[in-house]
Amino acid sequence: MPDQPPTPPPSASPYTDAVRAYYAAQPSPLVAATGIVLDPRGRVLVLTTSYKAEPELPGGGVEDTETPETGLARELKEELDLSAPVGRLLAVDSRPSGPLGRSLVVHVHLVGPLTPEETSAISFPDGEVTEARWLTPEEAYEALGTRKGSRLRAALAALHSGSLAHLIDGVPQPGSPAGFDPVRRAELEHTGSYDTAGHRAARPKALTAASVLFTDSAGGVLLVRPAYGDPDHWNLPGGGIDSDLGEIPRTAARREVLEELGLDLVPGPLLAVNWSHRSGYPARVRFLYDGGTLDAPTLARIRLPGTELLEWRTVPPAELRRFAKPALRRQIESCLAARTTPGGPLELHHGRLVDGA
């Protein structure tokens, strides 16, 4: 066969029998798909099989013309009688040629969190799996051993950071957007060892949002109750900034108020910028704007999107503890104080004024 497949004429079928035969005969890596199957408590499904001594994560080889997603879905059904959707790609791990004489590329996908009904219905129809255990991530790392445990650790880091992990033989690479040791990343940066693309990929990311503080004529704070997450925790009107569309925080605040309340109002002064972080997750930055005081006719015009918000209400500052999480309550109280205090926007960390700000 020639080094390159023949090019069919424009009017012919894109792929002739000769072209298909050429590609089918090419040596290629083995491809496998692994599922990080989670239950509602964040535990990881680890399997004991009849054909390997060490524990495994669900999944297996990708066959013939399957994609990694369809191959994993088939394996889940065959091994566990599980028909859960295969979710987001978390990691790609490449292994050099081993005992089988072929390199291996493993795609790692999120599956779940499963519902309690799905977890209780798991069975072992083909007999290859002999036991399924739900382990905490720390327990799973230890049970799976170095390479597979490292792969799981990097995949969960990608899940929490909303990113992707690039691995070779289970080891996160320096330019990996997720899973690489942050201390080592900082060392490489400070010594100028990163190329531009790797530096940009590995830098920690932050999520940005914009909210608006409205009050009524009695000083009550306007809060909304989301239809998602914890229904007992209320929030300020607002949401994520579409920075990939070129949106700036002030524009996002106005858009979110229109979408959530049905009111097209120009935000007032910036009251505060709040920074919050949780280990292993992206930092969150919130821009808080003054929406002013809404009179009764304006409040009466509020129309909520039924799929996103369940209800709204104004809450006296003394009762915020009943409705808002502590960090949000501190942000609101700081912003109420900033309304009457000269000096410009506040710099907050988890709702508390930063020392020296």
Side-chain angles (χ1 to χ4, degrees):
M1 292 295 291
D3 290 338
Q4 297 295 327
T7 302
S11 60
S13 171
Y15 301 110
T16 65
D17 290 343
V19 171
R20 287 192 290 269
Y22 172 82
Y23 281 113
Q26 300 309 299
S28 59
L30 298 173
V31 179
T34 293
I36 307 299
V37 183
L38 302 180
D39 73 355
R41 295 166 55 186
R43 296 180 301 177
V44 180
L45 185 63
V46 176
L47 307 179
T48 302
T49 67
S50 60
Y51 55 88
K52 282 190 178 181
E54 65 274 12
E56 289 278 352
L57 293 168
V62 177
E63 298 179 354
D64 196 20
T65 58
E66 289 180 329
T67 65
E69 292 83 356
T70 57
L72 178 55
R74 173 185 51 76
E75 287 283 346
L76 293 173
K77 184 63 177 176
E78 292 175 357
E79 289 184 337
L80 304 172
D81 197 24
L82 178 61
S83 298
V86 173
R88 189 170 72 80
L89 179 65
L90 299 177
V92 177
D93 190 3
S94 302
R95 290 189 61 193
S97 177
L100 297 178
R102 302 279 290 279
S103 59
L104 173 67
V105 178
V106 183
H107 285 225
V108 185
H109 286 265
L110 173 65
V111 179
L114 303 184
T115 66
E117 293 75 20
E118 288 172 326
T119 60
S120 62
I122 287 176
S123 62
F124 317 132
D126 66 2
E128 290 189 351
V129 176
T130 58
E131 182 185 17
R133 294 179 291 160
W134 292 102
L135 304 180
T136 67
E138 290 73 19
E139 292 169 340
Y141 302 148
E142 184 174 352
L144 290 167
T146 302
R147 186 180 66 250
K148 293 176 184 175
S150 176
R151 184 184 295 164
L152 171 63
R153 187 185 300 273
L156 290 177
L159 171 63
H160 296 154
S161 64
S163 191
L164 180 74
H166 168 211
L167 315 176
I168 296 179
D169 209 14
V171 178
Q173 297 304 290
S176 176
F180 190 64
D181 178 52
V183 175
R184 180 60 180 149
R185 185 266 308 160
E187 290 175 352
L188 291 174
E189 283 186 350
H190 297 159
T191 57
S193 302
Y194 261 123
D195 63 281
T196 301
H199 174 265
R200 187 166 55 246
R203 283 298 300 164
K205 309 300 188 292
L207 302 177
T208 56
S211 298
V212 182
L213 176 72
F214 294 107
T215 51
D216 62 14
S217 57
V221 178
L222 176 61
L223 298 179
V224 293
R225 186 160 73 97
Y228 48 85
D230 188 339
D232 292 330
H233 288 145
W234 295 57
N235 211 337
L236 290 170
I241 299 169
D242 293 334
S243 56
D244 55 342
L245 299 177
E247 189 173 55
I248 65 174
R250 179 173 292 276
T251 304
R254 182 173 182 174
R255 172 183 55 79
E256 286 287 342
V257 168
L258 178 59
E259 292 175 356
E260 294 190 345
L261 304 180
L263 303 176
D264 187 11
L265 302 173
V266 178
L270 179 66
L271 295 173
V273 176
N274 183 76
W275 177 280
S276 62
H277 68 275
R278 174 183 170 192
S279 179
Y281 289 78
R284 294 178 177 268
V285 182
R286 188 201 298 252
F287 294 80
L288 296 118
Y289 291 92
D290 189 357
T293 300
L294 302 183
D295 57 23
T298 303
L299 292 171
R301 299 204 324 267
I302 291 177
R303 297 293 181 269
L304 302 180
T307 57
E308 186 176 352
L309 298 176
L310 299 176
E311 60 180 308
W312 67 271
R313 66 182 300 162
T314 56
V315 178
E319 298 180 19
L320 285 171
R321 190 179 299 272
R322 292 174 46 201
F323 296 92
K325 293 181 180 180
L328 176 60
R329 174 175 53 81
R330 291 194 295 267
Q331 293 173 59
I332 294 173
E333 291 171 347
S334 295
C335 286
L336 289 172
R339 272 182 162 185
T340 60
T341 303
L346 301 178
E347 181 183 354
L348 306 176
H349 179 212
H350 290 295
R352 296 184 175 94
L353 191 64
V354 175
D355 291 341

